[in-house]
Amino acid sequence: NHKVIFDTDPGVDDAIALYFALAHPDIELLGITTTFGNVSVQQASANALYLTRLAGYRRPIAQGVQFPQLKTPGKHPEFVHGNDGLGNLHGRSEVGGQIEAESAAEFIVKMARQFPGEISLVGVGPMGNLALALKLEPRLPRLLKQVVVMAGTIDEPGNVSPVAEANVWNDPHAADQIFTAGCDLTMVGLDLTHQALCTPEVQRRIEEIGTPLAVIVSGLMDFFRKTYQDNQDFVDPPVHDPCTVAYLIDPSVVQTRRCPLDVELHGELTLGMTVADLRG
Ligand code: BDR
Ligand code: CA
């Protein structure tokens, strides 16, 4: 059983990862922390609230950082996730509920102190909340059991620049601080997630589940399919963020290598590049 804090910018694939984590019996989702990224942080929190309530779950949701640490904020990628971050879902129902008063970083620190060595922090957005939590509590790398992030890329090209993946690109300095903090960290990058494709067969199996939630997930995948066909030369869309949850539940589904990781913070062409030292 994994105690998880889910740090997210929902986000079409974030939404599916969230449902995966909420539904899986091996995962105890302690709370959700939100960040800017695919959408504004306010929209990310509204989406987290909406997604959980819609599916009948209640979890603490703590709102996090609004901007990158140093980088000039960019535009939110509406062409990837829709204006609302959830593929322009129409007719959102009123779900009620409120987010927490404390910040995302405060929530992470509080929970890490309450359950030392037990929490897996799963991050599927830019890493500003994690970096801020590290500033508040320098012992964080030891207090957390592990950190699993959808971020970066090694051999696969980037998705926002020739070398940078979106979550690192959106706040490279935060990513750098987390990668070099001494956490037990697993980077689930594009090398992996570009192999995790939602084929029509996979989507058909989701639809066959037949629940209202399955219909929503399939609608999200329709949106993502079009996004990736129109903008990135993909036929079937990659489901990035759920790969972190899959890895957590069963690490044997992926191949990993242990190595030092770092983020390039300079250069017009290389900003946000993840560098893995594979020399052994
Ligand atoms: C990552 O960026 C976001 O668009 C996705 O939600 C995912 O976390 C992929 O690069
Ligand atoms: Ca995401």
Side-chain angles (χ1 to χ4, degrees), residues 8-15 37-38 77 80-81 123-126 150-152 159-160 164-168 170 190 193-194 224 228 232 240-241:
T8 179
D9 58 339
V12 168
D13 55 325
D14 300 71
N38 295 325
V80 184
H81 296 270
V124 296
M150 190 286 130
N159 58 3
V160 280
E165 180 280 330
N167 289 336
V168 175
N170 278 330
L190 298 179
T193 68
H194 280 181
F224 228 34
Y228 272 86
Q232 293 220 34
H240 305 283
D241 294 345

